[in-house]
Amino acid sequence: MWRLLLIASLLLQPDSKLIQTRVQEAMSALQRNEPAAAERSLQAVIQLEPSSAPVWFLMAQAQARQNNMKAALLSADKAARFAGKDPSLLYNLALFNLEAGRLDVSLSIGQQALVLEDSSDVRDLLGRAFEAKKDWKNAILQYTQARRLAPYSEEAIFRLAQAQMQVQDFPAAISTLEDGRRTFDKSPQLELALGVAYYGQRRFPDAVDRFLRVMQLAPDIPQPYYFVGRVLEHAANRIPEVLTRAEQFEKAHPQSPLGYVLHARAILLRPSPEDPAADDALAESLLKKALIIKEDQADTHLLLGMVFERQKNMEGAAGEFKRSAALNPIDPVPHFRLARIYDRLGRKEDALRERALHEKLSQESGAAQTPDMKGLAR
């Protein structure tokens, strides 16, 4: 929320005592979340001081809190007209317009603030406005400057790396985040972002290391459990630790499917299992629990289909692969699996159809011809 500005300059005006009283009433009302009362007090001030930019800005806040955005934006425009060279007020006006979705107005006012005060806050605001416009080149330029001006800001590091990843400049993002970790070596946010950047460069073992670090630092954050599941076959040596983390997560969050799904993946991918049939049965049980919680998860159906395939339950596998394909129509992998199942069932025409779909979707998505989680097949 925008800063509540104390209008000290107004105290020097002839009617300063009355103005001071009304402004203080308005600010107190806003702090009590009584915007209508604040608006009434500010209307009285405006009668005495109609060209006060800070008062018009307070009025904009009061009106916005009443969901009267049409009036709020008119008041904000008046505040901008009278703002002069007050960098703090200009910053807040730019932020107000950014949060109202008026990106070009926000950029214009933000540039005025930048001329007066080149700060990390202003650079960050401009970066956010360009990001909202999907102008990643200028967003990265602004975030780079924000980080230069605030080298020990975790948020500045994160925003820059996030923008770099948006344009798939993963080497730059990795450089930004690895440098940031030297200062913030216990930041779940930066560790998670670095794992995603490694993932983007297909450095899967490094990505798994970072995701496991996030689980250690902040075990309740869900994202690393999802990402580890996507690349676990590339980090078989970390499966024992993944098993432990997944079991801990499912116990702490029994209503989330993430722990059950990751637990099942880790069981199915661990090398040299002592009892493969028991592992398959446990994985099946875990995946069915996950589907009871959230049935519309394509990956979970895909994984359960793979379990059924390993158990030679071809009809069950086909049903799960078809459900996965229906939930995620652009994924080629279920069609690859269905083609294999139909071959085994002697359904040659169905197998040809699914193989053609797999090839078509793979080309459209740029996916590898070899399906994900191929290591599950025995």
Side-chain angles (χ1 to χ4, degrees):
M1 180 53 66
W2 316 284
R3 304 166 190 168
L4 294 178
L5 301 177
L6 181 60
I7 322 301
S9 62
L10 293 177
L11 304 183
L12 303 177
Q13 301 300 322
D15 296 308
S16 62
K17 186 174 182 180
L18 178 58
I19 290 173
Q20 179 183 21
T21 300
R22 293 290 183 262
V23 169
Q24 288 177 340
E25 288 174 353
M27 294 181 67
S28 296
L30 284 172
Q31 290 167 347
R32 296 192 307 269
N33 197 27
E34 298 175 0
E39 184 175 4
R40 288 193 296 272
S41 295
L42 291 167
Q43 286 171 343
V45 176
I46 286 169
Q47 295 298 316
L48 300 170
E49 193 66 37
S51 61
S52 168
V55 170
W56 278 113
F57 180 53
L58 286 173
M59 178 67 84
Q61 295 178 67
Q63 292 163 335
R65 291 193 191 184
Q66 298 174 78
N67 296 318
N68 186 358
M69 287 307 299
K70 182 177 180 180
L73 294 174
L74 289 173
S75 295
D77 288 343
K78 290 181 180 178
R81 188 187 313 156
F82 299 127
K85 295 185 178 182
D86 183 339
S88 179
L89 179 56
L90 288 168
Y91 169 85
N92 278 278
L93 283 165
L95 180 58
F96 183 94
N97 280 283
L98 173 62
E99 294 179 349
R102 297 208 300 177
L103 304 180
D104 290 332
V105 175
S106 177
L107 285 167
S108 176
I109 298 174
Q111 292 288 355
Q112 295 176 51
L114 184 65
V115 171
L116 298 168
E117 182 180 291
D118 189 358
S119 69
S120 61
D121 283 346
V122 175
R123 293 286 189 175
D124 177 76
L125 184 149
L126 291 170
R128 288 165 58 193
F130 281 122
E131 180 177 335
K133 290 171 68 72
K134 307 298 183 187
D135 184 347
W136 296 108
K137 178 180 178 181
N138 280 309
I140 289 170
L141 288 173
Q142 295 300 330
Y143 288 145
T144 299
Q145 292 304 311
R147 188 192 175 201
R148 176 183 64 82
L149 293 163
Y152 299 107
S153 166
E154 179 184 349
E155 194 62 27
I157 295 165
F158 176 75
R159 286 194 189 278
L160 174 58
Q162 191 175 47
Q164 290 166 331
M165 284 191 281
Q166 283 290 338
V167 297
Q168 299 193 18
D169 189 353
F170 296 111
I174 288 169
S175 176
T176 296
L177 292 163
E178 287 181 340
D179 184 59
R181 287 181 66 241
R182 296 188 182 98
T183 302
F184 301 99
D185 61 345
K186 294 180 175 62
S187 166
Q189 178 176 240
L190 297 187
E191 293 287 350
L192 182 63
L194 183 56
V196 173
Y198 285 145
Y199 182 103
Q201 272 216 304
R202 303 186 66 80
R203 291 172 56 177
F204 298 131
D206 291 333
V208 170
D209 288 344
R210 300 279 57 82
F211 296 143
L212 287 170
R213 175 65 171 157
V214 178
M215 294 177 193
Q216 179 185 13
L217 293 170
D220 294 324
I221 294 177
Q223 291 92 333
Y225 299 89
Y226 171 78
F227 282 118
V228 163
R230 304 295 294 177
V231 296
L232 189 55
E233 68 270 26
H234 299 282
N237 63 314
R238 307 304 299 272
I239 284 177
E241 185 177 352
V242 172
L243 278 167
T244 299
R245 297 292 180 189
E247 289 175 6
Q248 291 171 345
F249 188 85
E250 71 185 48
K251 288 176 183 177
H253 303 277
Q255 296 307 310
S256 169
L258 279 175
Y260 302 114
V261 174
L262 182 58
H263 190 178
R265 284 183 185 271
I267 288 171
L268 294 168
L269 284 168
R270 61 181 166 189
S272 305
E274 294 182 5
D275 188 343
D279 277 2
D280 289 350
L282 178 55
E284 178 185 349
S285 173
L286 291 165
L287 293 167
K288 286 180 176 178
K289 284 183 182 179
L291 288 171
I292 289 171
I293 296 168
K294 194 165 180 59
E295 191 279 332
D296 61 346
Q297 297 299 291
D299 285 347
T300 309
H301 283 285
L302 179 66
L303 195 58
L304 183 57
M306 293 177 184
V307 174
F308 286 150
E309 186 177 359
R310 287 162 55 130
Q311 295 171 329
K312 313 302 182 187
N313 177 1
M314 298 305 167
E315 293 292 348
E320 294 301 324
F321 293 146
K322 288 197 298 187
R323 179 62 176 148
S324 178
L327 289 167
N328 187 5
I330 66 171
D331 185 4
V333 177
H335 300 284
F336 175 90
R337 292 285 179 175
L338 273 169
R340 286 162 48 103
I341 295 297
Y342 288 147
D343 275 334
R344 293 176 184 179
L345 293 173
R347 295 167 57 177
K348 300 303 181 184
E349 290 186 6
D350 290 334
L352 287 172
R353 182 190 67 245
E354 294 299 330
R355 195 164 285 113
L357 275 171
H358 169 256
E359 186 173 339
K360 175 177 179 290
L361 292 172
S362 295
Q363 291 173 351
E364 290 175 355
S365 66
Q369 293 296 311
T370 304
D372 184 31
M373 296 294 287
K374 59 184 181 299
L376 283 179
R378 278 206 294 263

